[in-house]
Amino acid sequence: MGRRSVRNYEDCQLDLMEVSQLLWAAQGVTRPSGYRTCPSAGALYPLEIQLVAGRVEGLLSGTYRYDAINHAVVHVDKKEIRQELAAAALGQPMILRAPVTISISAIFERTTRKYAERGIGYVFIEAGHAAQNIHLQAVSLNLGTVVIGAFRNDEVKKALGLDPDEMPLILMPVGRI
């Protein structure tokens, strides 16, 4: 099976190793100098990765931030937000059905302070690389995902508890196929 958009998932949990691989594919550190799995203009790394965990063996439900440097997740909130997140994503049901949703957000200022307005495009390019890495890693794990860009920014920011300077870019529900 090749890379494709998958919107229907089996009703079962993921294990922590699978989730760990998906997060590493998005922004994992690949060298002691701090370089990551995705190219980043000026190695400024404007992306932030959040995990909305519903059903993951060995992980409490809730919202997490991926700490790329330590390859760890930091528990942000134990509140169940999948319903709220699905509503913010214009009612897309795959967010409710998936055991996890990975969110890619950005702090644009990390890149625009060096590259000015041109840096905005660089951030979107990097987000595309991260999403494709997640997709390819999902395929290798026999999991499915889809890129969701249709959502209300303010509602996603609120649901995920993002900082004011952080902009949500992509949601990716992931599950078994």
Side-chain angles (χ1 to χ4, degrees):
M1 174 182 77
R3 198 228 48 87
R4 62 188 171 96
S5 295
V6 177
R7 293 173 178 83
N8 293 307
Y9 315 107
E10 290 182 12
D11 186 21
C12 58
Q13 65 185 3
L14 298 183
D15 66 48
L16 193 53
M17 185 63 153
E18 291 166 324
V19 172
S20 174
Q21 271 305 125
L22 293 166
L23 296 172
W24 180 85
Q27 281 287 283
V29 174
T30 60
R31 294 188 196 161
S33 59
Y35 289 129
R36 299 188 187 178
T37 55
C38 292
S40 181
L44 298 170
Y45 305 109
L47 301 185
E48 294 290 330
I49 308 298
Q50 298 81 31
L51 174 71
V52 177
R55 295 184 315 270
V56 179
E57 183 181 347
L59 196 63
L60 296 172
S61 293
T63 306
Y64 295 80
R65 279 192 175 267
Y66 179 57
D67 173 356
I69 302 301
N70 296 302
H71 186 56
V73 289
V74 178
H75 200 206
V76 174
D77 195 341
K78 62 182 178 183
K79 183 177 119 182
E80 169 61 64
I81 66 160
R82 287 184 297 168
Q83 186 83 31
E84 187 179 351
L85 196 59
L90 313 177
Q92 297 186 62
M94 62 285 274
I95 292 173
L96 292 172
R97 291 192 301 260
V100 302
T101 295
I102 297 171
S103 167
I104 302 172
S105 60
I107 300 173
F108 283 88
E109 199 272 332
R110 290 180 186 164
T111 304
T112 58
R113 72 175 169 241
K114 180 174 183 176
Y115 296 108
E117 208 170 298
R118 183 76 184 145
I120 295 168
Y122 297 158
V123 172
F124 286 117
I125 291 168
E126 186 172 337
H129 285 293
Q132 186 71 351
N133 279 1
I134 293 167
H135 245 293
L136 294 172
Q137 186 66 70
V139 168
S140 77
L141 296 169
N142 200 31
L143 302 173
T145 187
V146 62
V147 171
I148 297 175
F151 51 79
R152 294 180 196 92
N153 288 347
D154 290 343
E155 291 178 27
V156 170
K157 281 180 81 156
K158 181 181 176 196
L160 292 171
L162 300 182
D163 293 335
D165 61 344
E166 199 169 343
M167 178 64 67
L169 302 177
I170 297 170
L171 297 174
M172 296 181 73
V174 183
R176 292 201 190 291
I177 52 175

PDB file of all heavy atoms in Angstrom, residues 1 14 21 40 59-61 66 88 100 103 106 109 113 131 133 158-159 162 167 173:
ATOM      1  N   MET A   1       0.851  -1.179   0.000  1.00  0.00           N
ATOM      2  CA  MET A   1       0.000   0.000   0.000  1.00  0.00           C
ATOM      3  C   MET A   1       0.893   1.238   0.000  1.00  0.00           C
ATOM      4  O   MET A   1       1.865   1.308   0.720  1.00  0.00           O
ATOM      5  CB  MET A   1      -0.889  -0.012   1.249  1.00  0.00           C
ATOM      6  CG  MET A   1      -1.696   1.259   1.403  1.00  0.00           C
ATOM      7  SD  MET A   1      -2.697   1.278   2.882  1.00  0.00           S
ATOM      8  CE  MET A   1      -1.462   1.621   4.100  1.00  0.00           C
ATOM      9  N   LEU A  14      -3.652   2.714  19.429  1.00  0.00           N
ATOM     10  CA  LEU A  14      -2.279   2.637  18.923  1.00  0.00           C
ATOM     11  C   LEU A  14      -1.378   2.339  20.105  1.00  0.00           C
ATOM     12  O   LEU A  14      -1.760   2.557  21.263  1.00  0.00           O
ATOM     13  CB  LEU A  14      -1.874   3.957  18.275  1.00  0.00           C
ATOM     14  CG  LEU A  14      -2.676   4.417  17.060  1.00  0.00           C
ATOM     15  CD1 LEU A  14      -2.098   5.705  16.504  1.00  0.00           C
ATOM     16  CD2 LEU A  14      -2.742   3.347  15.987  1.00  0.00           C
ATOM     17  N   GLN A  21       7.162   6.987  16.873  1.00  0.00           N
ATOM     18  CA  GLN A  21       7.738   7.044  15.522  1.00  0.00           C
ATOM     19  C   GLN A  21       7.106   8.152  14.685  1.00  0.00           C
ATOM     20  O   GLN A  21       7.799   8.844  13.935  1.00  0.00           O
ATOM     21  CB  GLN A  21       7.550   5.706  14.806  1.00  0.00           C
ATOM     22  CG  GLN A  21       8.644   4.724  15.023  1.00  0.00           C
ATOM     23  CD  GLN A  21      10.018   5.254  14.668  1.00  0.00           C
ATOM     24  OE1 GLN A  21      10.889   5.213  15.521  1.00  0.00           O
ATOM     25  NE2 GLN A  21      10.255   5.734  13.479  1.00  0.00           N
ATOM     26  N   SER A  40      14.703  22.982   7.527  1.00  0.00           N
ATOM     27  CA  SER A  40      14.155  24.206   8.102  1.00  0.00           C
ATOM     28  C   SER A  40      15.042  25.372   7.684  1.00  0.00           C
ATOM     29  O   SER A  40      16.257  25.336   7.884  1.00  0.00           O
ATOM     30  CB  SER A  40      14.125  24.095   9.629  1.00  0.00           C
ATOM     31  OG  SER A  40      13.582  25.260  10.206  1.00  0.00           O
ATOM     32  N   LEU A  59      -0.285   5.558  27.465  1.00  0.00           N
ATOM     33  CA  LEU A  59      -0.319   7.023  27.508  1.00  0.00           C
ATOM     34  C   LEU A  59      -1.700   7.479  27.945  1.00  0.00           C
ATOM     35  O   LEU A  59      -2.708   7.016  27.399  1.00  0.00           O
ATOM     36  CB  LEU A  59       0.000   7.582  26.117  1.00  0.00           C
ATOM     37  CG  LEU A  59       0.384   9.048  25.999  1.00  0.00           C
ATOM     38  CD1 LEU A  59       1.673   9.352  26.755  1.00  0.00           C
ATOM     39  CD2 LEU A  59       0.548   9.421  24.534  1.00  0.00           C
ATOM     40  N   LEU A  60      -1.749   8.372  28.909  1.00  0.00           N
ATOM     41  CA  LEU A  60      -3.025   8.917  29.355  1.00  0.00           C
ATOM     42  C   LEU A  60      -3.670   9.726  28.237  1.00  0.00           C
ATOM     43  O   LEU A  60      -2.972  10.356  27.446  1.00  0.00           O
ATOM     44  CB  LEU A  60      -2.825   9.836  30.570  1.00  0.00           C
ATOM     45  CG  LEU A  60      -2.299   9.209  31.851  1.00  0.00           C
ATOM     46  CD1 LEU A  60      -1.980  10.292  32.878  1.00  0.00           C
ATOM     47  CD2 LEU A  60      -3.307   8.212  32.405  1.00  0.00           C
ATOM     48  N   SER A  61      -4.984   9.726  28.183  1.00  0.00           N
ATOM     49  CA  SER A  61      -5.688  10.572  27.219  1.00  0.00           C
ATOM     50  C   SER A  61      -5.418  12.031  27.548  1.00  0.00           C
ATOM     51  O   SER A  61      -5.187  12.384  28.704  1.00  0.00           O
ATOM     52  CB  SER A  61      -7.190  10.310  27.274  1.00  0.00           C
ATOM     53  OG  SER A  61      -7.473   9.013  26.820  1.00  0.00           O
ATOM     54  N   TYR A  66       5.119  17.762  21.727  1.00  0.00           N
ATOM     55  CA  TYR A  66       6.299  16.953  21.438  1.00  0.00           C
ATOM     56  C   TYR A  66       7.549  17.765  21.720  1.00  0.00           C
ATOM     57  O   TYR A  66       7.734  18.852  21.182  1.00  0.00           O
ATOM     58  CB  TYR A  66       6.277  16.483  19.978  1.00  0.00           C
ATOM     59  CG  TYR A  66       7.482  15.667  19.593  1.00  0.00           C
ATOM     60  CD1 TYR A  66       7.811  14.505  20.282  1.00  0.00           C
ATOM     61  CD2 TYR A  66       8.295  16.052  18.535  1.00  0.00           C
ATOM     62  CE1 TYR A  66       8.915  13.743  19.929  1.00  0.00           C
ATOM     63  CE2 TYR A  66       9.401  15.288  18.170  1.00  0.00           C
ATOM     64  CZ  TYR A  66       9.708  14.141  18.874  1.00  0.00           C
ATOM     65  OH  TYR A  66      10.806  13.395  18.528  1.00  0.00           O
ATOM     66  N   ALA A  88     -14.198  22.279  15.645  1.00  0.00           N
ATOM     67  CA  ALA A  88     -13.364  23.353  15.091  1.00  0.00           C
ATOM     68  C   ALA A  88     -12.938  23.035  13.663  1.00  0.00           C
ATOM     69  O   ALA A  88     -12.712  23.938  12.860  1.00  0.00           O
ATOM     70  CB  ALA A  88     -12.137  23.570  15.965  1.00  0.00           C
ATOM     71  N   VAL A 100      -5.583   9.014  17.707  1.00  0.00           N
ATOM     72  CA  VAL A 100      -4.769  10.216  17.942  1.00  0.00           C
ATOM     73  C   VAL A 100      -4.961  11.198  16.796  1.00  0.00           C
ATOM     74  O   VAL A 100      -5.291  10.804  15.682  1.00  0.00           O
ATOM     75  CB  VAL A 100      -3.249   9.921  18.092  1.00  0.00           C
ATOM     76  CG1 VAL A 100      -2.967   8.963  19.226  1.00  0.00           C
ATOM     77  CG2 VAL A 100      -2.630   9.441  16.806  1.00  0.00           C
ATOM     78  N   SER A 103      -1.177  17.574  15.573  1.00  0.00           N
ATOM     79  CA  SER A 103      -1.341  18.953  15.119  1.00  0.00           C
ATOM     80  C   SER A 103       0.034  19.547  14.841  1.00  0.00           C
ATOM     81  O   SER A 103       0.960  19.380  15.638  1.00  0.00           O
ATOM     82  CB  SER A 103      -2.049  19.776  16.195  1.00  0.00           C
ATOM     83  OG  SER A 103      -1.952  21.153  15.906  1.00  0.00           O
ATOM     84  N   ALA A 106       2.805  26.620  14.094  1.00  0.00           N
ATOM     85  CA  ALA A 106       4.060  27.344  13.846  1.00  0.00           C
ATOM     86  C   ALA A 106       4.101  28.641  14.625  1.00  0.00           C
ATOM     87  O   ALA A 106       3.076  29.290  14.847  1.00  0.00           O
ATOM     88  CB  ALA A 106       4.220  27.631  12.359  1.00  0.00           C
ATOM     89  N   GLU A 109       7.425  33.954  13.836  1.00  0.00           N
ATOM     90  CA  GLU A 109       8.468  34.925  14.170  1.00  0.00           C
ATOM     91  C   GLU A 109       9.857  34.288  14.236  1.00  0.00           C
ATOM     92  O   GLU A 109      10.859  34.945  13.969  1.00  0.00           O
ATOM     93  CB  GLU A 109       8.114  35.619  15.498  1.00  0.00           C
ATOM     94  CG  GLU A 109       8.838  36.925  15.728  1.00  0.00           C
ATOM     95  CD  GLU A 109      10.186  36.733  16.424  1.00  0.00           C
ATOM     96  OE1 GLU A 109      10.335  35.756  17.184  1.00  0.00           O
ATOM     97  OE2 GLU A 109      11.086  37.570  16.196  1.00  0.00           O
ATOM     98  N   ARG A 113      11.921  36.682  11.616  1.00  0.00           N
ATOM     99  CA  ARG A 113      12.903  37.634  12.169  1.00  0.00           C
ATOM    100  C   ARG A 113      14.191  37.622  11.365  1.00  0.00           C
ATOM    101  O   ARG A 113      14.916  38.597  11.318  1.00  0.00           O
ATOM    102  CB  ARG A 113      13.153  37.380  13.654  1.00  0.00           C
ATOM    103  CG  ARG A 113      13.944  36.143  13.958  1.00  0.00           C
ATOM    104  CD  ARG A 113      14.265  36.014  15.458  1.00  0.00           C
ATOM    105  NE  ARG A 113      14.803  34.706  15.735  1.00  0.00           N
ATOM    106  CZ  ARG A 113      14.261  33.820  16.541  1.00  0.00           C
ATOM    107  NH1 ARG A 113      13.156  34.096  17.176  1.00  0.00           N
ATOM    108  NH2 ARG A 113      14.828  32.653  16.721  1.00  0.00           N
ATOM    109  N   ALA A 131       4.319  17.117   7.449  1.00  0.00           N
ATOM    110  CA  ALA A 131       3.100  16.345   7.183  1.00  0.00           C
ATOM    111  C   ALA A 131       3.403  15.139   6.298  1.00  0.00           C
ATOM    112  O   ALA A 131       2.902  14.027   6.538  1.00  0.00           O
ATOM    113  CB  ALA A 131       2.040  17.238   6.539  1.00  0.00           C
ATOM    114  N   ASN A 133       6.272  13.571   6.028  1.00  0.00           N
ATOM    115  CA  ASN A 133       7.017  12.608   6.836  1.00  0.00           C
ATOM    116  C   ASN A 133       6.076  11.778   7.709  1.00  0.00           C
ATOM    117  O   ASN A 133       6.252  10.568   7.846  1.00  0.00           O
ATOM    118  CB  ASN A 133       8.049  13.315   7.717  1.00  0.00           C
ATOM    119  CG  ASN A 133       9.312  13.669   6.980  1.00  0.00           C
ATOM    120  OD1 ASN A 133       9.459  13.418   5.791  1.00  0.00           O
ATOM    121  ND2 ASN A 133      10.241  14.293   7.694  1.00  0.00           N
ATOM    122  N   LYS A 158      -7.704  27.491  20.724  1.00  0.00           N
ATOM    123  CA  LYS A 158      -8.308  27.379  22.056  1.00  0.00           C
ATOM    124  C   LYS A 158      -8.333  25.928  22.521  1.00  0.00           C
ATOM    125  O   LYS A 158      -7.953  25.627  23.663  1.00  0.00           O
ATOM    126  CB  LYS A 158      -9.723  27.961  22.042  1.00  0.00           C
ATOM    127  CG  LYS A 158     -10.401  27.910  23.378  1.00  0.00           C
ATOM    128  CD  LYS A 158     -11.809  28.479  23.309  1.00  0.00           C
ATOM    129  CE  LYS A 158     -12.492  28.305  24.657  1.00  0.00           C
ATOM    130  NZ  LYS A 158     -13.920  28.476  24.575  1.00  0.00           N
ATOM    131  N   ALA A 159      -8.774  25.019  21.657  1.00  0.00           N
ATOM    132  CA  ALA A 159      -8.858  23.603  22.029  1.00  0.00           C
ATOM    133  C   ALA A 159      -7.494  23.049  22.425  1.00  0.00           C
ATOM    134  O   ALA A 159      -7.376  22.310  23.404  1.00  0.00           O
ATOM    135  CB  ALA A 159      -9.452  22.788  20.880  1.00  0.00           C
ATOM    136  N   LEU A 162      -2.930  26.659  22.513  1.00  0.00           N
ATOM    137  CA  LEU A 162      -1.723  27.213  21.891  1.00  0.00           C
ATOM    138  C   LEU A 162      -1.432  28.609  22.411  1.00  0.00           C
ATOM    139  O   LEU A 162      -2.337  29.358  22.791  1.00  0.00           O
ATOM    140  CB  LEU A 162      -1.889  27.264  20.366  1.00  0.00           C
ATOM    141  CG  LEU A 162      -2.145  25.938  19.654  1.00  0.00           C
ATOM    142  CD1 LEU A 162      -2.225  26.160  18.146  1.00  0.00           C
ATOM    143  CD2 LEU A 162      -1.091  24.910  19.996  1.00  0.00           C
ATOM    144  N   MET A 167       0.344  29.588  15.497  1.00  0.00           N
ATOM    145  CA  MET A 167      -0.740  29.440  14.528  1.00  0.00           C
ATOM    146  C   MET A 167      -0.895  27.978  14.123  1.00  0.00           C
ATOM    147  O   MET A 167       0.073  27.360  13.661  1.00  0.00           O
ATOM    148  CB  MET A 167      -0.439  30.281  13.282  1.00  0.00           C
ATOM    149  CG  MET A 167      -1.477  30.163  12.196  1.00  0.00           C
ATOM    150  SD  MET A 167      -3.094  30.789  12.677  1.00  0.00           S
ATOM    151  CE  MET A 167      -2.730  32.523  12.845  1.00  0.00           C
ATOM    152  N   PRO A 173      -5.418  13.285  11.841  1.00  0.00           N
ATOM    153  CA  PRO A 173      -5.881  12.122  12.609  1.00  0.00           C
ATOM    154  C   PRO A 173      -5.164  10.875  12.099  1.00  0.00           C
ATOM    155  O   PRO A 173      -4.892  10.760  10.896  1.00  0.00           O
ATOM    156  CB  PRO A 173      -7.381  12.071  12.316  1.00  0.00           C
ATOM    157  CG  PRO A 173      -7.563  12.823  11.047  1.00  0.00           C
ATOM    158  CD  PRO A 173      -6.440  13.813  10.950  1.00  0.00           C
TER     159      PRO A 173
END
